[in-house]
Amino acid sequence: FYRYLSDLHAPGDPAWQCIGAQHQWILQLMHNCKESYFSSPLLGNSLLHSPMLDLDSDTRPSPIGHLGQTASLKRGSSFQSGRDDAWQYKAPQQVVFVEKLTKLVVSQLPNFWKLWISYVNGSLFSETAEKSGQMERSKKNARQRQNDFKKMIQEVMHCLVKLIRGALLPFSLREGESRQYGGWEMKSELSGQWLTHVIQTVRLSSESLTALEIPNDMLQIIQDLILDLRVRCIIVTLQHTAEDIKRLAEKEDWVVDNEGLTSLVGIHVSCRQFLCCICLGFFFNCSAEIICLHLQVFQQQKTQEDVCQLSIGIMQVFIDCLEQLSTKPDGDIDTAHLSVDVSSPDLFGSIHEDSSLSSEQRLLIALSNCHYLERHTFLNIAEHFEKHGFQGVEKITQVSMESLKELDQRLFEMYIEFKADPIVGSLEPGIYAGYFDWKDCLVPAGVRNYLKEALVNIIAVHAEVFTISKDLVPRIMSRVVEAVSEELSRLMQCVSSFSKNGALQARLEICALRDTVAIYLTPESNSSFKQALEALPQLSSGTEKKLLEELLNKFKSSMHLQLTCFQASSSAMMKT
């Protein structure tokens, strides 16, 4: 056609006019693609599958053809590719729009580019034109119009990018551009997963355009778009993760495994691992260029600050969720499905599948979850971020750990109050039951029942804690022993005077308690026992010392089975 016009000496420059017309046609197609989603969805489908623009049935060979097909295969992921008609009804409209828009540009731009190359090298013209010197004049015109053609390509790229921004990042458009490129405000915002899919679509389209040998500076605007989409993907994923974690309390099943953990921690870990996948680009095989792009995302100061605050917020939401569950009134929580892993022996029958979950047990489970989060989950998440160049790890870890430790301490104090206070409160009434008087008592015959009952109650605490989390046993038992020893010391120091028998009875009971719980003694409890013994008169004879030793041995022998849990072992030694 061009050759005929050339041979007929048509006025002007028909080839350049055709290039300009095709440029305008591509721009119009792109805008029509967007408008079809606001006039009628059916109209959009008919437009993009019309004979004029049948993208799927285009069989013309071109340098981009094979690459386009390969790109479609690469897009296979958890989402179906754009060539599956059923996929279009599952995906949000913005995603389908971006697929169709990029498909349109990738299918049309090669012919446009090929037309320009033919115009530049003169292959559009016939031998007659070559002999007449018209080819040389056309080549000269082409050289003079290089900047004009470059502006055409840039206009197509800008239109492509602004249309995508209007659909996905409307806040990034300049004032006055929303009417032309936007209009998607009524559509719901995409999730992180769909944004990841869109990023892949745009990235593969960029690779297809790069294969045309279009200068990189013309495609830089697409790389800037991909970078902004990645940032938005990270932010949206963090926000949605926070919302999901807010609802974790509804998913807690209170099933305790052999590590003292419930599904709540597992679900949280899964959420965070998914989050790291999105943020760090594990959803697809990353090339060196993509890894560099990830680093660019995290090097942006604003992005780092936003990710840091949102990550801290997610940690705080989960910590609040733990606290809510641990302090929930009995009537507000379903405990019918409580069970314990068979590998955690329930030695004292403190928890059974068909039993109700007590406030103390909820506190213990929450403490166990806190213990695991502090030593494993939070640190692992920090390592993931740090490994991939994120600079705000220290702040996230510090703030999260502080909040977690504050919750841990609150729950710990509540549990100790639940368990230690009744034992401590039983000591004074037990000591003076039956009008007992330290100044007027018989020769000791053994440890009295009040102390045995106190020990049985301490053993019950040990059983309950051991059943849920072995790691918590030293910490909780040490604190209970501190509380009991402190009260016993106070009671001994309040006695005005002791008879010989009274002093021996008191020493027997103090030593029996101290020796029994020796594995859980701390500097504080050791000091309390020492003060209690110092408040007693010293033993005056060898006979009294011998009797004390015999009675202690008798006590330990008679309660050997009950006191087994207090026996030292390498695994039960108190952790500092």
Side-chain angles (χ1 to χ4, degrees), residues 341-383:
D341 193 281
V342 292
S343 59
S344 287
D346 184 5
L347 298 178
F348 296 90
S350 57
I351 299 180
H352 299 283
E353 286 192 7
D354 58 349
S355 65
S356 295
L357 194 63
S358 68
S359 299
E360 295 94 324
Q361 289 166 340
R362 285 202 302 274
L363 288 171
L364 270 180
I365 292 171
L367 278 170
S368 181
N369 286 340
C370 286
H371 180 82
Y372 183 86
L373 289 169
E374 181 183 349
R375 285 161 176 74
H376 300 283
T377 304
F378 282 12
L379 293 178
N380 289 342
I381 291 169
E383 288 176 2

Side-chain angles (χ1 to χ4, degrees), residues 164-262:
I164 295 176
R165 286 185 180 276
L168 306 177
L169 305 170
F171 51 84
S172 67
L173 293 176
R174 294 178 181 176
E175 187 176 354
E177 293 179 335
S178 296
R179 181 182 296 274
Q180 185 178 4
Y181 299 103
W184 300 84
E185 289 76 9
M186 300 303 293
K187 307 295 182 183
S188 59
E189 187 174 40
L190 298 185
S191 67
Q193 286 177 298
W194 282 116
L195 281 170
T196 300
H197 181 74
V198 169
I199 291 168
Q200 289 178 271
T201 299
V202 177
R203 181 170 62 84
L204 291 170
S205 300
S206 175
E207 291 175 1
S208 298
L209 296 176
T210 301
L212 294 173
E213 298 183 354
I214 297 176
N216 289 333
D217 60 331
M218 296 186 187
L219 300 178
Q220 182 58 43
I221 188 174
I222 299 181
Q223 296 305 316
D224 294 340
L225 170 64
I226 293 174
L227 185 63
D228 289 348
L229 285 172
R230 289 187 184 280
V231 171
R232 188 60 189 164
C233 179
I234 292 171
I235 300 303
V236 168
T237 302
L238 285 164
Q239 291 171 341
H240 288 182
T241 302
E243 292 300 317
D244 290 340
I245 290 176
K246 284 181 182 178
R247 295 188 290 271
L248 282 186
E250 303 167 8
K251 301 179 181 180
E252 176 60 284
D253 59 11
W254 296 103
V255 177
V256 184
D257 65 14
N258 61 340
E259 293 186 67
L261 307 178
T262 62

